[in-house]
Structures are given as C-alpha cells and as structure tokens.
Amino acid sequence: MGETELETTRTNIDIIHEEKNDNLLIEVKVLFFARARDLTGTSEMSLGITCGSTARDCLNKVIAKFPGLEEIRGCMVLALNEEYTPLSAIVKHGDELAIIPPISGG
Amino acid sequence: MAEEEKNTLVEILEEHNPIDMVKYIDFVSAPQCGAISTFSGTTRDTFNGKTVVELRYEAYVPMAIRCIKSIHIFLCQVKMELGLGPVPVGETSVFIAISSIHRIDALDACKFLIDEIKAIVPIWKKEVYANNNGEVWKENSEFLQEKSIGGRLT
C-alpha cells in the first residue's frame, strides 16, 4: 500500500471507533487514600467504564461497588492524573482517578 | 519560573528518619540573602484531652510534589522535607527552610507555605491515642474551607 492509502485507511478506522464510542469500555485506575482505603479495604482498583464517562460516573460506579464510601462522598474531592478535577471531567482510557478524603498534612 | 524551580527542592521521605535541619538551612543559604526562616511541624502530645502516642502520615506522593511545586514563592530558595509513616510525639514531620534578601519575605513565605500545604496538598495523618482510645484521621479546616469556596480543589 502506498503511504497516502495507508493514512486514509487509518483515518477511516479512527472514525469507526469514534462512532462506536458509546459502546467502548475503557479502563481507569482508581486510587483510595486514608479513610477511603479503610472503607474499601483496598488501595487501588481497575474500573471498567463506558467511553465518554465522567469522573462523577466513575465515582458512582465505585460507590456502588463499595457502599461504605457513601459516608465520605460529601467531604471528599477527586483528582484525575494528579490534578484536582471537577466531577464533570471526562475520563480517558488509562487515566488515574484518586479518591481524596479531607487532607491533613502539616 | 525556571529559576524558581531550580531553587526549590521538595523531598518526601517514605520512611521517617530524623530530619537534618542544618543540612537544609545550608542548602538555602546564599550570599545575597539576609534572612533564613524555618518552620518545623512536630507531633503534639495531646488532643482534646486525649494523650497522643504518634501521628501516622501517608501521601499521594507524585501529586503532593506537583502541588507543592505549583505554589509560587518568589524568593531565593525553598527547601522542604516531609516524612511519611509514624512520627512519634516531639518529632518533626515537615520541615521548611526559606531564604530571602530581606526577612519579611522569608517569614511571610514560611507561613504561606505551611498554610497552603494544609489546604491543598494530598497528605493525610492519623492521630493514634494512648490507653486504647483508638485512632482518628485528621481533617484540616484549611482544606474544608478551600473546598467550601470551590477554589482549587475542583
């Protein structure tokens, strides 16, 4: 195949993947710290979630799996790839989502 | 900015070892600086009438380092060390050394930096009490306040 034809083929495949986004499952790594770890019994998990999901969607799914976390839902914050994130942020495959209970450094 | 980064050093020790304060004071010393200010956070022996045996620290280390480095302090040099794991009464969990040309900047920056750590840096401590009084994850009011104003935690 010539170079141009190869590029066109790749572009077509990308478009097909985009159209099927709703059905694609992506994987997000979820980290639990401090009280969150006490409540879940684990320091991390791999979460399978629909492509296009938000941080909020991930949190809801995690709390469904670990209902004990509901107790800190109101006071926790989230971080996506080591930066604080709003619940509305869209997660991508391979992202790292951290459950951050109230901090107490210093 | 690049100049600041060169002069700012943050170390988070995974296992608690006594902090060598003289070493860090030497690190921030510079001929052009007229002042060095330091802050040490140490474990207190009581809380609300209960005897404290130790504090246990943990951190989301890569994010904590990123957060601390994002705190902009326009001075000569900053050196900070944080220890994780158990920190018994009287021992130091966090040490900050800052130098500046004039003392007001170093003094102000020390206060500013520890206040920022308490508000936004992902570090947690558990207070362990004597006499089977249990243990409690502490929560900084600075964090709760930052969260309530929407601030930098979203």
Side-chain angles (χ1 to χ4, degrees):
Chain A
M1 243 188 237
E3 219 172 271
T4 317
E5 287 169 326
L6 198 54
E7 279 174 27
T8 310
T9 307
R10 282 186 183 144
T11 309
N12 289 340
I13 291 171
D14 289 340
I15 291 170
I16 291 167
H17 279 172
E18 271 178 38
E19 285 170 353
K20 287 198 169 180
N21 261 355
D22 287 349
N23 300 323
L24 258 184
L25 259 195
I26 58 169
E27 213 170 274
V28 170
K29 182 171 162 186
V30 182
L31 303 179
F32 303 102
F33 290 97
R35 195 152 149 224
R37 186 186 58 252
D38 287 353
L39 290 168
T40 59
T42 184
S43 58
E44 67 178 72
M45 69 171 283
S46 186
L47 182 72
I49 196 138
T50 315
C51 187
S53 293
T54 62
R56 179 186 279 107
D57 294 329
C58 292
L59 181 59
N60 287 339
K61 200 162 182 188
V62 167
I63 294 183
K65 186 171 168 65
F66 298 107
L69 280 178
E70 190 66 54
E71 168 182 327
I72 60 168
R73 190 203 275 266
C75 60
M76 69 161 79
V77 292
L78 300 181
L80 193 58
N81 303 323
E82 302 173 9
E83 290 184 3
Y84 289 112
T85 185
L87 289 165
S88 55
I90 307 282
V91 299
K92 301 180 317 298
H93 179 71
D95 275 353
E96 183 172 279
L97 184 71
I99 309 290
I100 296 188
I103 61 174
S104 41
Chain B
M1 287 303 162
E3 193 63 24
E4 276 168 54
E5 278 187 24
K6 195 179 71 177
N7 290 334
T8 299
L9 193 53
V10 179
E11 283 180 355
I12 299 185
L13 303 184
E14 296 284 351
E15 272 192 40
H16 178 65
N17 291 307
I19 289 174
D20 186 348
M21 301 185 194
V22 173
K23 185 178 99 181
Y24 303 134
I25 291 168
D26 283 346
F27 178 85
V28 301
S29 295
Q32 69 270 37
C33 291
I36 297 172
S37 186
T38 67
F39 172 84
S40 301
T42 56
T43 299
R44 283 186 286 133
D45 61 4
T46 54
F47 179 76
N48 278 355
K50 285 185 280 193
T51 304
V52 174
V53 169
E54 66 180 16
L55 295 173
R56 286 186 208 143
Y57 282 87
E58 72 176 66
Y60 184 6
V61 174
M63 184 176 169
I65 292 174
R66 192 193 277 254
C67 268
I68 294 166
K69 286 190 166 169
S70 77
I71 300 168
H72 293 301
I73 301 179
F74 297 95
L75 297 169
C76 291
Q77 299 201 64
V78 179
K79 165 88 180 193
M80 174 194 307
E81 178 154 339
L82 296 136
L84 303 180
V87 182
V89 167
E91 291 194 28
T92 300
S93 60
V94 54
F95 181 75
I96 300 169
I98 301 182
S99 58
S100 62
I101 296 172
H102 299 296
R103 71 185 184 282
I104 190 162
D105 293 316
L107 287 167
D108 283 351
C110 256
K111 179 181 188 318
F112 177 71
L113 193 46
I114 187 62
D115 287 348
E116 285 287 277
I117 288 169
K118 284 184 168 289
I120 64 165
V121 179
I123 297 169
W124 298 267
K125 65 179 176 242
K126 199 175 212 185
E127 207 162 52
V128 180
Y129 304 111
N131 308 319
N132 291 319
N133 276 327
E135 39 190 59
V136 163
W137 286 108
K138 305 295 290 184
E139 299 181 0
N140 289 346
S141 58
E142 295 86 349
F143 166 87
L144 298 171
Q145 186 166 9
E146 183 75 31
K147 184 173 186 298
S148 74
I149 65 173
R152 294 162 290 173
L153 300 178
T154 54

